Structures are given as structure tokens and as C-alpha cells.
Amino acid sequence: MRTEQPKMIYLKDYQAPEYLIDETHLTFELFEDHSLVHAQLLMRRNPARGAGLPPLVLDGQQLELLSVKLADQDLGATDYQLSDSHLTLHPASERFTVDTSVRIHPETNTALEGLYKSGGMFCTQCEAEGFRKITYYLDRPDVMSVFTTTVIAEQHRYPVLLSNGNPVGNGPQDDGRHWATWEDPFMKPAYLFALVAGDLWCVEDSFSTLSGRDVALRIYVEPENIDKCQHAMNSLKKSMRWDEEVYGREYDLDIFMIVAVNDFNMGAMENKGLNIFNSSCVLARAETATDAAHQRVEAVVAHEYFHNWSGNRVTCRDWFQLSLKEGFTVFRDAEFSADMNSRTVKRIEDVAYLRTHQFAEDAGPMAHAVRPDSFIEISNFYTLTVYEKGSEVVRMLRTLLGEAGFRKGSDLYFERHDGQAVTCDDFIKAMEDANGADLTQFKRWYSQAGTPRLEVSEHYDAAAQTYSLTLRQSCPATPDKVEKLPFVIPVELGLLDAQGTDIALRLAGEAAAGGTSRVLSVTEAEQTFTFVDVALQPLPSLLRGFSAPVKLSFPYSRDQLMFLMQHDSDGFNRWEAGQQLAVQVLQELIVQHRQGQALVLDQRLVTALGTVLADERLDQAMVAEMLSLPSEAYLTEISEVADIDAIHAAREFTRQQLADSLFDALWARYQANRELSKRTPYIAAAEHFARRSLQNIALSYLMLSGKPQVLAAALEQFDASDNMTERLTALAVLVNSPFAEEKAKALGVFAENFKDNPLVMDQWFSVQAGSSQPGALERVKALMSHPAFNLKNPNKVRALVGAFAGQNLINFHAADGSGYRFLADLVIQLNGFNPQIASRQLAPLTRWRKYDSARQALMKAELERIRACGELSSDVFEVVSKSLA
Ligand code: B3K
Ligand code: ZN
């Protein structure tokens, strides 16, 4: 909790550290009612900062200082200055040691930052600025040191003692306690420090690297979860191989460990050699984890592993550069997932997520550039913009430089900066130098916030046989900047002839045609590209693969979109055409609803989706994606003013119409797939994910028919499935149905069967929190008193509160403001013990500008109530004050 007004920190004020730390030696004595941390730092003046010996200002928060020595001399109270956040010493020579002992309280640390307890185990989370809650230190990423760590704890309760690097010794003490020492030979900033002590079991495997070194792989979990680690282990080995093959990056220590903990603020953390994971991103087996959960485990394991190079070996100079490691690593994990599963489906999922959530962030009060210029609380900047848009920026680089050029650039980046803390500019410079490219203008993607718009118009000249596309780019004002300069926007496109075949593309001035799909680089506010030798007016397929994170508009007719859905050679754009068609149709219905007219659905949507459903040659996952209507959240994002009632009504009406019109085809596909499921043991692989996703979306439509045979099918799937993917969908369709008795029974059976599995109970909470049936808020409030619920556990908060406020829009936005009041009350409560989670849960209220004036007033009133409630954490303070600015 802050004691002074939080301050804004600016990138332009960056200065290199005054002092460096060459070696860090830590000893932890862990007890039940406190812990002691002894640190010895071998320090020296930073030669880059010139002569003189300025004061040494160490970061430290919530530490009880027991003793401090400088250059081996005990210091008295007048020899140093101590504040809530700093310890200031006065070195008398260029090189010196600092020894401190502090007392801390992991056992009461509910913020889950620094050293804390999750259940019976000790664990840490130091990124971004948690290490200062462990000991006095230069807690900034450009101070890199080697670490030796000794952990001492009671043998019986904490048989496993872990830290970064390689184990170098351990043994018993005569007081029932034992010790272990770890040495990490790689220089690292403090945010990558980790420690774990607990009663853990591990699954062990090994990996032989490209150069033939054997690495021990261990996944540590609480004993009851030992049967749920194999998928994560397989994912780890695949990731290690992939990073060698695709980026030439090998692992560097003798051991790589993952530890699963139940109480964790985010997904996982890439601490050197000792990744600590939210158990939801490690544990997966058929009976208890869905296909989506399996894929998330694979992606997060890969992401954290990839950080070993993009993050740890080469790290960030300061936290403004966060996307240097996060954007790049998200891009790496996305490509890994695409290679392991269906590339097109992965792209569709990522783009749908980006456009719904990152675009909303970019249009809201917290909008910031991929490399922000300022922040109050860095924890608030682990955002969709830094991660997802950051990844899109790296993807655009690859598109512009080509695969080989991009690899040359990444090789140079890793080679040049290994062991350093660097900037986004350094990353771009490596890409430039390796390719002889000039990326000066491209860098605007790092400094300008907001989602660019790209308006495209066409002109066909039959006489000259030329086809011109004019592209106009603009970018809306964001809180940081009003005027934006043009971006470099790579637009991949093709031109389809009347048969739907891509024609050969030749731009005016080119000697010969070059391919049927190509990338235009749009660099000016308005630019026209003219294609020659175009015999008949073509239909453009624009922004293939979503080649840039922009809002593109082109005046397609619905018939043209149907044509693209069937013929576009780019799978992503086939899906995209379907989405655009659905958006047009839904927006028409939204208007009808607002004007009090009867809703009339454009039957072309039914025809188009019926065609997709009937085509048995199509990848089933693609069929499932195409049958998924744009979400309410996406329809909200693209509305000027979102009428949530109209959006909900229009979308539900369309789902009902589709269910009625396509019943037979849906039923046939459902039955065929369910029969196959019954005969096939669960396999976590793309074609099986595909089959189950089509089966499950079919069931969710079919259920709208209310027919007894569908209810029977849902109950059969609920009772008899051997995997959570099918069982949970069956539960969800029952919960969203009017069959009260069956619903209650299924919820009861499910809770009874899985009451001892917290991750499964999270799903049970989410399904209910997300149900659009009336009375949702009352249900959510009641569930908060359920014995399996716990407000101190972030997964539970996300499962219940996050699902309600983020996914159940019709209920969260109830016109009486009850949803807003509930969320604000919760944020106020969470602010008291876990500021990071409080600030995250606040996001839906920050979007108040999207809604009608009555709702705006209600949402703002709640934000003001939070602001006035007393001691706000810097996390919540920043979001609330920016939202009300
Ligand atoms: N680097 C961590 C995120 C840390 C968040 C700190 N508030 C996980 C990741 O992106 O891999
Ligand atoms: Zn990351």
C-alpha cells in the first residue's frame, strides 16, 4: 500500500545505474511465522557513469532491516538512510561489499509478489519489481549478477528446496532442518530470481541438445497432481527441439525445472532454470482438462521456455522495453503452436482475441504504445498491447524481411546482445544490420498507440486493363498523442477472377508478374497501387493472414463475401469473409431491434454457413470456427456506441435461426462425431481437437431447438464422456438451457465428482458465471460463498468474477447498474490484499465510453466510488485515475 502519491515514471528519464552488482549471495532461513534473508552483494561503481562516488540507493519494500554492513563494517543508524522504499548507503571506494539481513513475512503475503506461501509451499514471483520485497537490491533489469542461493528450512515440511541454476550441495542440520545451495552461472537481473520450498513430487525426463549435452527435466507438483504432468513434459521437449530447429537456440544449464503452484497472479514466470507456473498452465489430462486447456499448457510451457533466450540471455534494459521480450516471445510461441497444430486455426483464434480485446484496450483510457513512454505502476503494463500487439509487430517484421531475412536478424540479435540488457531499438537495429534494411519508419509501431484504420477503394479500367487499389491510413487520437504519423503497413493480398482463382499479380512498372499473393508495403497516408494485365474486374482478397493489426475496410457486398468464403485461397481470409458477412447481417438486426421492428435475418448467412457445414472436405476445426458468430464483446468493440441489449438480442436471434434452419445438418455432424468420440480414446492432437470442436459447437446450436433428442444427447455426453472437453460443453449447454431440473442435477453431479480438483471447480464456476440466463449476478454472489470458492486465489477470482464481468455482458451491463456495483465492491476488497488482481478485474469498468449515457453515468459513479475509497494501491490508482481523466 502506498503512503505517498504514486509518481509517473518516464522513459526519457532513463539513466544507467550508478553501481553494478557482480555477485549476489543469498541465504534464506524459512520459518512458519517469518523468514530471514541474508544477502551479500559484491558491488562496484559503474564505469559508464564516470568518476565520483554518489550515494548507493538500494530498493527495498516491506523489509525489516536487522543489520547492514558496508565493506565489512557494521553500520549504525546514522550511517545510512532508510525510507519505505529505499536504503541509502555511502560507499567510500569503487569496489565494496554490502551485507544485509532482513526479516520478511511470506506467510502473510497475499499480494503474491516477492516471497509468499501458496498452500503449504514457499515460492516467489519477482517480475517486475518483487525482488525488492525480498531483500535490499538494485531491483532493475539492467543490473545483472550471478547468484548463489542457500535455502534452509524444516526437512519434514519442505523436503524439496530449489533455486535457479545448478544444485551444488545440500545436507541436514541437527535441528530437524536442512539446506540446499544452488549456483546460477548466468548473469541475470533480480526479476529472474526464484526460490521454491515444499513437499513436492516430480516427474523426470531428459533432453539431449543439438550439441549433445544432456539436460535433466523436472516438473514439480503437489503429490496429488503427479498424474497430470505428462502433457507439459511432452510440450517442453517439443519446445526445446523447436527452438533449436527454428531459431538455432540451445538450452544452457544442466537442469530445467517447472514448479506448479495454485496461487499465482498470472500464467507463469520464466525464472532462469526454474520456471514457476500457475497450476492451470501445467496440469492437464483428458479427464480433467479441456482441449483448450491442453493447448494453453503447450503454449505457456513453450512461451516460458523460449524466454530463456528471448528474455533471459538477452533481457530488457528497462521496463518500458517489456515488449522486447514479451512481444517477441509471444510471436515465437504462436509460431510454435501453429507448427504443432493447425496454423490457420491458431491464426484465427489469435486474431479474434486481438481484435476483440487489444483493439478495445487501444481505444480506451489505458491505451499505450507497444513501448510506452510513461507509467505509474509497471504491473499495469503486462497488457494485450505489449504482448499481443507486440507479437504482431514482430510478425510484420518477418513479413517484410521474409523468413530467411528475419532469421538472419534474430541470429544477429542473440549473438550481439547475449548477456546484455537491451532495448527495442537494439532489436530493430539487428534486423536492419542483418538485412541492410531501413526500419526507421517501421519503428512508429513501437511509439504510437491506437489501432490504425485502413480504408481501401478500387478502380477498374477495362480499356487499359488496369486495376488500382487506393489505401488510406489514419490512426485515431489516444490519450498520449493526437496526431499520428503514417505507419508501415504490410498488406498481403491476392486478386480473384470470376472462377475464384488467384490471378498473377504484376504492378505497373514491373517487368513480369510475381506470384499470386504478395505483400504491398503501405507507407504513406494515401497510396495507390496499380496492377496491369487485368483482363476482367477481379475481387480483392485483402490483408491475408491478417498481415497487419489494423482495421481494414473495403465495401464488399454480401454476395462477394460469400464468394470469398468459398474460394479464397487464404484460409484465414475465408474465415474473415464469413465474419464480415455475419457482422453485416448482425448489425442490420441490431438496427431493427433498436427501431422496435421485427427481426428478419438475411438468409444468405444461413445459406453460407449451410454450405460450409455440408462440405465434408473442410477441416472440421475451420468449420467450427466459421460457425462461431462474432462474439458480443467483438460486436461491442466495433460499435460506436454499443447497445448491449440489441447486440445480445440480434446474436441470440441469429443463433436460434441458424439452429432451426440447419438442424438436420448439425445433428448429422454431431452424431457422427460423438460416435467417433465414443470409439476413440482421448488424444491431445489437432485433428482430435478439430473433431471435438465441431461436435461441441454443433451441440450448442442444437440445444436451442429444445428437442428431447438433443437434451438426451447432451445428457448422454455429460454422463458418458471420458474427457473434460465433451463433459464441460455438455454441462455448459445444460446450464444455458431452460431445462432447470437437468441443469441443477448436472451441476450437482459435477461438483460432487470434482470437488477435490480446484482447476475443474474453476470451470464449474466459470460456466455458471458466463450463463446468459437471467439472475446471473445473484448466482455469482451465491457462488462466492461456495466452499470451493476463495477470494484469495486468483484463479477463483478470474473464474467467477472475471467470467461474469468479461463474458456475461448482458448481465454485467444490467441497466440498474447492479453488475457495476458488484464489480466495484470487489475491486475495493481486492485492492486491500492483492492490488495486481484488483487492477486487472477493473478493466471492464474502464470501457465506460462505449455505452449509452445512462450506463456511462453508472460506470463512472462506480469508478469514482473506488477512487474515493481510501488507500488505493498504485495499481488501482493508475487505472482509475486514467479512466476518469
Ligand atoms: N514474464 C511473466 C510475466 C510477469 C508479470 C509480472 N506482473 C510471464 C510471461 O510473460 O512469460
Ligand atoms: Zn512472457
Side-chain angles (χ1 to χ4, degrees):
M1 217 61 47
R2 73 190 164 85
T3 50
E4 46 202 66
Q5 179 84 353
K7 275 204 312 275
M8 190 77 91
I9 301 165
Y10 295 91
L11 168 58
K12 64 175 167 41
D13 295 340
Y14 171 83
Q15 289 203 313
E18 301 278 13
Y19 291 93
L20 303 175
I21 307 176
D22 292 322
E23 291 181 33
T24 302
H25 300 278
L26 302 171
T27 301
F28 288 81
E29 296 185 68
L30 307 178
F31 299 99
E32 293 315 295
D33 57 355
H34 72 282
S35 292
L36 301 175
V37 186
H38 312 286
Q40 178 171 69
L41 313 179
L42 272 53
M43 304 195 62
R44 70 187 149 96
R45 170 79 172 138
N46 182 0
R49 293 303 305 267
L53 294 171
L56 165 64
V57 185
L58 297 168
D59 303 299
Q61 280 173 12
Q62 299 162 30
L63 307 174
E64 183 191 341
L65 182 63
L66 303 175
S67 70
V68 49
K69 280 196 221 179
L70 177 61
D72 280 333
Q73 302 296 307
D74 283 319
L75 298 188
T78 53
D79 300 327
Y80 58 85
Q81 289 74 49
L82 194 58
S83 76
D84 275 355
S85 49
H86 295 108
L87 168 63
T88 304
L89 307 181
H90 302 279
S93 60
E94 299 255 320
R95 284 178 185 273
F96 52 90
T97 53
V98 173
D99 290 83
T100 57
S101 290
V102 299
R103 190 192 328 265
I104 55 177
H105 290 281
E107 72 283 357
T108 55
N109 177 352
T110 53
L112 314 185
E113 194 190 34
L115 179 63
Y116 66 94
K117 284 198 89 173
S118 174
M121 71 203 264
F122 286 91
C123 61
T124 52
Q125 171 54 38
C126 294
E127 186 176 0
E129 297 181 335
F131 194 71
R132 62 188 62 187
K133 295 181 168 179
I134 292 177
T135 191
Y136 286 103
Y137 205 75
L138 295 178
D139 188 9
R140 44 187 290 169
D142 55 354
V143 171
M144 298 172 81
S145 168
V146 294
F147 281 68
T148 310
T149 305
T150 298
V151 188
I152 307 167
E154 200 184 315
Q155 166 113 45
H156 177 70
R157 284 186 212 240
Y158 310 103
V160 174
L161 305 176
L162 309 174
S163 190
N164 316 84
N166 299 312
V168 292
N170 64 76
Q173 294 187 160
D174 46 20
D175 54 357
R177 295 166 67 76
H178 71 145
W179 62 274
T181 299
W182 293 78
E183 241 174 49
D184 183 357
F186 290 93
M187 304 264 282
K188 67 166 179 290
Y191 84 85
L192 291 172
F193 170 80
L195 175 156
V196 169
D199 183 3
L200 302 169
W201 288 8
C202 84
V203 167
E204 203 163 357
D205 208 325
S206 69
F207 181 83
S208 173
T209 70
L210 204 58
S211 64
R213 277 185 322 100
D214 277 333
V215 180
L217 309 178
R218 290 198 193 140
I219 299 181
Y220 287 92
V221 293
E222 288 170 317
E224 67 268 25
N225 291 325
I226 199 72
D227 61 344
K228 305 185 189 75
C229 301
Q230 197 52 49
H231 182 66
M233 184 62 89
N234 296 345
S235 305
L236 175 60
K237 288 194 284 181
K238 287 191 215 170
S239 310
M240 295 177 86
R241 187 62 71 215
W242 188 90
D243 212 17
E244 293 183 344
E245 285 169 0
V246 180
Y247 282 85
R249 299 294 116 198
E250 220 180 292
Y251 187 63
D252 48 14
L253 288 162
D254 301 333
I255 179 165
F256 184 83
M257 298 172 283
I258 288 177
V259 179
V261 306
N262 291 329
D263 303 286
F264 207 65
N265 280 349
M266 65 277 159
M269 178 63 213
E270 69 263 25
N271 317 300
K272 183 76 187 188
L274 177 57
N275 286 190
I276 298 182
F277 272 57
N278 188 322
S279 52
S280 70
C281 297
V282 180
L283 307 178
R285 59 177 290 136
E287 297 79 0
T288 50
T290 61
D291 289 348
H294 278 80
Q295 289 173 81
R296 179 151 167 78
V297 167
E298 182 180 77
V300 177
V301 166
H303 179 98
E304 306 310 332
Y305 174 72
F306 296 156
H307 268 315
N308 191 52
W309 275 97
S310 50
N312 301 2
R313 297 279 296 240
V314 184
T315 193
C316 302
R317 187 193 71 173
D318 56 74
W319 291 121
F320 298 100
Q321 317 296 331
L322 183 57
S323 196
L324 171 78
K325 72 177 178 83
E326 296 305 348
F328 188 19
T329 306
V330 171
F331 174 68
R332 278 151 57 67
D333 85 57
E335 283 299 292
F336 166 76
S337 294
D339 282 347
M340 297 300 123
N341 303 291
S342 158
R343 176 162 287 272
T344 307
V345 170
K346 171 69 179 156
R347 190 67 188 137
I348 289 169
E349 288 168 357
D350 286 353
V351 171
Y353 185 69
L354 180 90
R355 287 205 294 215
T356 304
H357 303 292
Q358 194 278 326
F359 282 16
E361 182 170 278
D362 241 350
M366 283 292 290
H368 54 276
V370 168
R371 182 189 52 219
D373 301 316
S374 63
F375 58 72
I376 291 178
E377 171 54 62
I378 183 56
S379 298
N380 282 329
F381 285 78
Y382 287 76
T383 58
L384 295 151
T385 301
V386 165
Y387 276 66
E388 267 64 39
K389 186 174 180 181
S391 162
E392 294 300 319
V393 171
V394 177
R395 178 178 299 277
M396 286 189 287
L397 273 176
R398 191 191 57 177
T399 302
L400 292 166
L401 298 173
E403 204 151 323
F406 181 76
R407 172 66 195 269
K408 275 198 280 175
S410 75
D411 283 351
L412 181 60
Y413 169 72
F414 288 128
E415 187 190 315
R416 189 184 268 176
H417 298 297
D418 191 9
Q420 298 177 4
V422 302
T423 64
C424 299
D425 285 339
D426 293 318
F427 179 72
I428 296 291
K429 184 82 170 63
M431 291 287 160
E432 289 183 323
D433 291 352
N435 289 280
D438 178 357
L439 296 168
T440 315
Q441 186 184 347
F442 182 83
K443 286 207 280 188
R444 289 177 190 158
W445 283 108
Y446 285 94
S447 57
Q448 298 190 137
T451 308
R453 287 162 209 275
L454 195 56
E455 272 176 51
V456 186
S457 58
E458 62 177 353
H459 175 71
Y460 181 64
D461 184 333
Q465 303 223 324
T466 60
Y467 178 74
S468 302
L469 286 171
T470 298
L471 302 100
R472 278 180 212 87
Q473 61 163 306
S474 61
C475 183
T478 41
D480 57 327
K481 224 177 271 167
V482 176
E483 295 297 328
K484 309 286 168 81
L485 296 168
F487 293 86
V488 176
I489 304 180
V491 178
E492 182 173 349
L493 54 72
L495 301 178
L496 277 64
D497 67 15
Q499 284 68 50
T501 308
D502 284 329
I503 64 173
L505 301 178
R506 183 173 156 211
L507 282 169
E510 289 180 341
T516 54
S517 194
R518 58 191 286 177
V519 178
L520 303 181
S521 188
V522 179
T523 57
E524 288 161 35
E526 178 173 332
Q527 216 166 336
T528 298
F529 295 85
T530 300
F531 295 93
V532 297
D533 302 336
V534 186
L536 290 166
Q537 169 134 14
L539 182 63
S541 162
L542 301 164
L543 209 66
R544 283 182 162 171
F546 201 66
S547 58
V550 300
K551 292 188 176 181
L552 182 136
S553 58
F554 180 83
Y556 286 118
S557 71
R558 293 184 197 175
D559 291 330
Q560 287 175 327
L561 289 170
M562 287 174 75
F563 185 84
L564 288 171
M565 273 177 83
Q566 286 215 25
H567 297 289
D568 201 316
S569 61
D570 182 71
F572 175 84
N573 266 15
R574 280 202 301 281
W575 170 79
E576 172 64 2
Q579 291 291 295
Q580 286 192 36
L581 176 65
V583 164
Q584 284 194 20
V585 169
L586 285 161
Q587 284 177 334
E588 186 172 80
L589 293 171
I590 289 168
V591 172
Q592 290 170 3
H593 184 272
R594 287 176 68 89
Q595 295 177 344
Q597 299 166 6
L599 302 189
V600 184
L601 182 74
D602 184 337
Q603 291 300 309
R604 282 177 288 189
L605 184 65
V606 179
T607 308
L609 295 184
T611 309
V612 168
L613 196 54
D615 189 345
E616 301 219 349
R617 293 161 313 173
L618 288 178
D619 171 10
Q620 304 205 69
M622 273 295 282
V623 178
E625 292 293 349
M626 295 188 85
L627 288 175
S628 307
L629 293 178
S631 67
E632 290 180 3
Y634 181 63
L635 294 165
T636 299
E637 205 292 310
I638 58 175
S639 310
E640 201 60 47
V641 176
D643 181 336
I644 200 68
D645 301 299
I647 288 174
H648 184 70
R651 194 171 180 280
E652 286 308 304
F653 174 78
T654 307
R655 279 175 20 95
Q656 183 71 53
Q657 292 264 306
L658 288 168
D660 293 343
S661 310
L662 301 174
F663 184 88
D664 292 341
L666 288 163
W667 183 239
R669 302 254 8 209
Y670 172 77
Q671 283 188 305
N673 285 13
R674 175 67 190 133
E675 281 311 311
L676 249 173
S677 275
K678 286 191 213 165
R679 280 187 269 122
T680 322
Y682 181 89
I683 300 175
E687 65 196 274
H688 300 267
F689 297 151
R691 169 168 56 77
R692 286 186 288 267
S693 65
L694 178 54
Q695 174 191 326
N696 281 337
I697 191 163
L699 181 61
S700 67
Y701 275 112
L702 289 163
M703 202 65 183
L704 298 173
S705 73
K707 294 191 184 177
Q709 79 232 53
V710 179
L711 176 60
L715 292 171
E716 184 278 331
Q717 179 167 325
F718 178 76
D719 289 332
S721 292
D722 67 348
N723 65 83
M724 187 50 72
T725 307
E726 289 175 277
R727 176 159 290 133
L728 189 70
T729 298
L731 179 68
V733 300
L734 289 165
V735 166
N736 280 286
S737 79
F739 300 110
E741 211 174 295
E742 287 80 358
K743 174 192 321 195
K745 184 159 171 241
L747 282 169
V749 168
F750 191 98
E752 182 53 30
N753 287 346
F754 295 108
K755 60 177 183 297
D756 297 326
N757 186 322
L759 294 176
V760 179
M761 289 307 285
D762 290 345
Q763 307 291 318
W764 185 81
F765 283 119
S766 278
V767 158
Q768 297 177 76
S771 163
S772 59
Q773 298 285 308
L777 179 58
E778 294 321 308
R779 278 197 310 277
V780 169
K781 285 183 177 165
L783 285 169
M784 288 183 69
S785 329
H786 189 276
F789 188 78
N790 172 6
L791 202 57
K792 297 263 160 72
N793 174 254
N795 287 354
K796 291 284 173 285
V797 175
R798 284 184 280 257
L800 194 54
V801 183
F804 173 69
Q807 285 154 42
N808 196 342
L809 302 190
I810 189 71
N811 283 303
F812 173 64
H813 291 282
D816 62 0
S818 52
Y820 308 147
R821 213 156 36 243
F822 165 75
L823 188 63
D825 284 339
L826 225 111
V827 167
I828 292 169
Q829 236 186 312
L830 288 165
N831 173 68
F833 62 86
N834 189 333
Q836 288 183 16
I837 297 298
S839 160
R840 294 257 150 177
Q841 293 304 316
L842 189 48
L845 281 177
T846 67
R847 308 276 148 81
W848 58 269
R849 280 188 184 80
K850 270 282 168 201
Y851 301 93
D852 56 79
S853 54
R855 284 186 173 91
Q856 285 200 5
L858 290 165
M859 293 172 95
K860 268 166 59 179
E862 294 305 329
L863 285 166
E864 269 151 15
R865 189 159 67 84
I866 296 172
R867 181 160 68 179
C869 84
E871 275 280 282
L872 283 190
S873 58
S874 53
D875 310 61
V876 174
F877 172 83
E878 178 169 34
V879 176
V880 169
S881 52
K882 287 184 175 172
S883 301
L884 289 170

